[in-house]
Amino acid sequence: MSRRALRRLRGEQRGQEPLGPSALQFVLHDDDDVEEECPKRGPGGRHPRGAGKEGVRVNNRRGHSIQGRGNSLINIEDLDEAPGVNGERTDCLLVDAVVSGNKRRAQSGHSESTRGGDAADTAVPSEQSNASSKLRKKKRKQKNKKNAGETSENGLEDIDRILERIEDASGASRPGPPPLSTKKHVLYVEHRHLNPDTELKRYFGARAVLGEQRPRQRQRVYPKCTWLTTPKSTWPRYTKPGLSMRLLESRKGRSAFAFEHSEEYQQTQHKFLAAVESMEPNNIVVLLQSSPYHVDSLLQLSDACRFQEDQETARDLVERALYSMECAFHPLFSLTSGTCRLDYRRPENRSFYLALYKQMSFLEKRGCPRTALEYCKLILSLEPDEDPLCMLLLIDHLALRARSYEYLIRLFEEWEAHRNLSQLPNFAFSVPLAYFLLSQQADLSEQEVSSAREEASVRIQQALTMFPGVLMPLLEYCSVRPDATVATHHFFGPDAEISQLPALSQLVSLYLGRSHFLWKEPATINWLEENVHKVLQAVDAGDPAVEACESRRKVLYQRAPRNIHRHVVLSEIKEAVAALPPDVTTQSVLGFDPLPPLDTIYSYVRPERLSPVSHGNTIALFFRSLLPNYTVEGERPEDGGPGGLHHDQGLNRLMLAVRDMMANFHFHDLEVLPEEHPEGDGEWD
């Protein structure tokens, strides 16, 4: 009879027969050699037949664990750390798990082994064994993953060490790909700095910033995640207003884009222009009820709320306009790359420029200069060559307020060669101020401090020589009384300010009205005083640089370009607005499109409207002419001003209408009425 039949008759299972003295054979090795001398598995995960001579010969096909009295052979703790024995493989780490139990049983001899064989008949049930087997498999997988990660890390470290040794031995660097430039583009925009909460958290902490924010309503669904604004639950449900963006061309690593208006959006735009001509903000409110995400209406109503001191509503309307435009972005349009261009000559693109500018102004007033600086870089990157909003007159101010002195110095050094930034009064004075404030930082060495202080002194002397008319108004803004030597000297006296050309006076007024408070520190005033006296010494000594700067001022500042006038209008600084030339102040400046370019590219034209007063009614013509949107048949409002007419032409037509009315107006004779109506003395019906 075979052994299998005998086991069935006895009710035994394979692997549960008593263990003899030679059932377990161990070959003890050192810890370092156990893994190397462990039997290898053959194909299919099985070991060769002769491999059991060096390891553990256990016939346990179903994965039952072998336990002696008191678990002296195999401990559960050791099984949790080392892989267990299953029916198809024998792990070499089992040797370490059994060594301790084998040493404890060394004195008992064959009798202990026999008793261990008898104890095998009282093994744990198969369910408990299966549970422990699953636990061991899970532990083994986690340990294998950990060991694999450590092995890969150690392997990479070893490769780096080997390459370092090769480089040190040869004395030459190893060939490879060129290193990536760690120096970002000067107009590079970071997404995280476009969120004002990032800056506010740094000032006041996350709990103070996020404590007042209510959680969003789950039922409010927005189409996409945006970087410029965060959608609010109080906004109307977003529906596509008909605004989109298309790619015009891509050349030399730069891509030109343009916003587009659908036919429905064009009709809304025509209604908006009519509402603006009516000079009634309620008409824009009515328009927004039907088109809640019309960009120009949101910007125009924001200005109306700002004039009424409702800053919160004004900022909310601007954010909604930015959200509407960001949802219309082209998939290839990037805010941070600095390679995407928007032509300001297209009216559809101007709304995005103005929305970004208004948002930047709100952020600056809110106390977030770092975020406002990021918006300023974004506007400048959309068209850096033309700079339609002239952001170079503002970026230095925001950099100083944000204490980004290194960025301002880097921008000046990289752009001075092709943009001549030193010829602008704001850069001429802001760059030396940045050097001086940088020298006051405590984390610099003595050599760096002295170098920055010396550079600041050289550049402020150049600025005072080039723009002497800045000093006296600056001291007046700072409430500093100059000494008699400076006040009576012809170079810095009243003649220096009076003799300035109007274009230069406008730039100086813009800079002083915006950045004068940055000079009020006592240390800054003392440093400025030292350099003023050095400039006076150079002037008295007949330095040729003084005459060169004077001749340069007469040539460069004949007339300011249109983008500077547009920037002054948007800045709303009283001193700078008062310095605008008469040909600009007499024009009608629209809030949604201030001083449009003369070479505007129209994609569609507003249809001509027939005047309702073209039927010869003189009285209607008179009252119609009193309205701000008074037009004559065949004349379009785009030809000039909100009503399409110049101011003097409107007055002339008004006078002609009054004269025509008075000539055709006839009075009835009151005495004729009783004769024609003899019954008039009776009772009235």
Side-chain angles (χ1 to χ4, degrees), residues 545-557:
V546 178
E547 296 182 0
C549 292
E550 184 178 358
S551 60
R552 199 181 309 159
R553 286 195 302 270
K554 294 180 180 179
V555 174
L556 295 178
Y557 306 100

Side-chain angles (χ1 to χ4, degrees), residues 400 405 408-409 429-439:
L400 290 176
Y405 309 130
L408 177 58
I409 295 172
F429 282 86
S430 295
V431 172
L433 181 59
Y435 274 109
F436 175 75
L437 296 176
L438 188 63
S439 66

Side-chain angles (χ1 to χ4, degrees), residues 311-359:
Q311 302 293 334
E312 187 67 25
T313 304
R315 183 171 64 249
D316 184 79
L317 292 172
V318 172
E319 291 179 357
R320 199 200 302 182
L322 282 175
Y323 178 75
S324 178
M325 304 197 79
E326 190 171 0
C327 289
F329 280 175
H330 192 275
L332 299 179
F333 184 82
S334 174
L335 294 173
T336 60
S337 63
T339 59
C340 297
R341 300 290 183 261
L342 285 177
D343 194 349
Y344 192 80
R345 295 176 299 174
R346 297 181 179 271
E348 297 85 356
N349 295 340
R350 297 173 196 166
S351 301
F352 188 58
Y353 279 90
L354 297 175
L356 290 175
Y357 187 92
K358 295 178 186 296
Q359 178 72 354

Side-chain angles (χ1 to χ4, degrees), residues 510-662:
L510 184 66
Y511 172 70
L512 294 178
R514 176 178 285 157
S515 305
H516 63 87
F517 63 91
L518 298 174
W519 296 80
K520 288 187 175 182
E521 294 294 330
T524 306
I525 293 296
N526 294 333
W527 165 71
L528 179 62
E529 182 182 2
E530 297 175 0
N531 291 278
V532 166
H533 287 290
K534 293 181 180 180
V535 171
L536 288 180
Q537 295 176 2
V539 171
D540 295 337
D543 192 351
V546 178
E547 296 182 0
C549 292
E550 184 178 358
S551 60
R552 199 181 309 159
R553 286 195 302 270
K554 294 180 180 179
V555 174
L556 295 178
Y557 306 100
Q558 294 292 332
R559 179 176 174 82
R562 193 174 182 85
N563 60 342
I564 292 181
H565 295 160
R566 189 180 299 118
H567 178 87
V568 172
V569 171
L570 290 174
S571 66
E572 298 180 356
I573 297 177
K574 297 179 180 180
E575 297 81 4
V577 173
L580 287 172
D583 59 341
V584 177
T585 55
T586 55
Q587 296 182 17
S588 298
V589 179
L590 303 177
F592 66 94
D593 191 9
L595 299 179
L598 301 178
D599 54 347
T600 300
I601 302 175
Y602 292 101
S603 58
Y604 63 94
V605 182
R606 182 183 180 186
E608 297 182 0
R609 297 186 307 159
L610 294 178
S611 176
V613 299
S614 59
H615 302 289
N617 191 340
T618 307
I619 298 178
L621 177 63
F622 168 69
F623 288 106
R624 184 67 180 173
S625 64
L626 297 178
L627 297 177
N629 58 343
Y630 167 66
T631 57
V632 178
E633 183 179 0
E635 193 164 13
R636 290 169 43 216
E638 289 87 349
D639 295 337
L645 301 172
H646 294 293
H647 186 63
D648 52 352
Q649 295 177 356
L651 291 178
N652 292 336
R653 289 193 176 92
L654 177 61
M655 296 304 298
L656 291 175
V658 172
R659 292 172 185 173
D660 190 13
M661 181 190 68
M662 296 302 296

